[in-house]
Amino acid sequence: MIEVRSTDLPVSDRFDWWCALTAQDLVPTRLTRARSTDFPASMRHMQLGQIQVSALEFPALRSERTQRLIRRSDPELWMLAFVTGGGMALEQGHNGTSLRPGDLVLYDTSRPFDAFSGVPDDPSCAVLLHLPRHAVPIREQRLRELTARQMPSDSGPAALLTGFLRGLVDQAAALTEAHRARLAPAVVDLATAFLADVAGVQKEVPVETRQAVLVRAVKKFIVRNLADTRLTPPAIAAAHHMSIRQLHLLFQNYEETTVGACIREERLRRCRADLADPRFAERSIQQIGARWGFHDAAVFNRAFKKRYGISPGAYRNGLSTSGQDDAR
């Protein structure tokens, strides 16, 4: 992810620089700032094939997208904004809304809009997902009905999408070009599932997209409940309103593994991380295993050794010895 900051420039140049940057990397708008002095702002952006993700932080301003600007340049995008800090307001067509951190909002670069953000001492922060029109398989009219409407992100497809966007921004430095190429379809699938859910047109979404989003929802449920001994295929299937057979077929087709193997792998990964973490040095191996759902010490020991070729105790001792050697 590339990051640029206005604070690297003289104060007098910062606002003009932001106007040029947003016109190039987002969409041309007419910007009016709330105060005429400093303008501390930053933008990070990541390219995922045809999809772009941008993380912005900026002080109070007004952003107007006019018919004249649209005629001059229109990338034909659906812009999905996830507000992470400060306040915003948006008007487009016959819709208008005020937004708080945690809200999602959709807007259309092919129609005029008027956006307001923040107050002078409270910068606004948002993650923007740039979605080409052709990438979203939902009727344009249904999406236009969603623009400039407040959409919460605390549950369902919205929570999956915003969690994924946060992860992209947080892990941007560790993502290679190959990683980004593989992640692009996942972003589109999650955004499509979210928008279809809000618009009530789930049946318009391709089956493959719905299934891919369902797999992510199931895996998120598994990770959230790893310590629970009741985390079994029947419990997972019931929580997602499907049969056990459907659950197994889902993993077989999309993960090329079994549900049980997925649970075991996630638990072992977290146990291994805890064994290597100095913060848990005082915890026994059995306590670490139990923390992630291995309540039988012998079962934990066998599973760990089979997966990593070494027992949990030997793994922890080896790390400790290595650290002592490094210290010498």
Side-chain angles (χ1 to χ4, degrees), residues 131-143:
L131 292 165
R133 287 185 179 281
H134 65 80
V136 185
I138 300 174
R139 283 174 292 158
E140 185 172 302
Q141 183 56 41
R142 298 308 298 263
L143 290 177

Side-chain angles (χ1 to χ4, degrees), residues 284-295:
S284 70
I285 290 172
Q286 185 173 355
Q287 287 175 323
I288 287 176
R291 182 183 184 218
W292 296 111
F294 288 106
H295 295 277

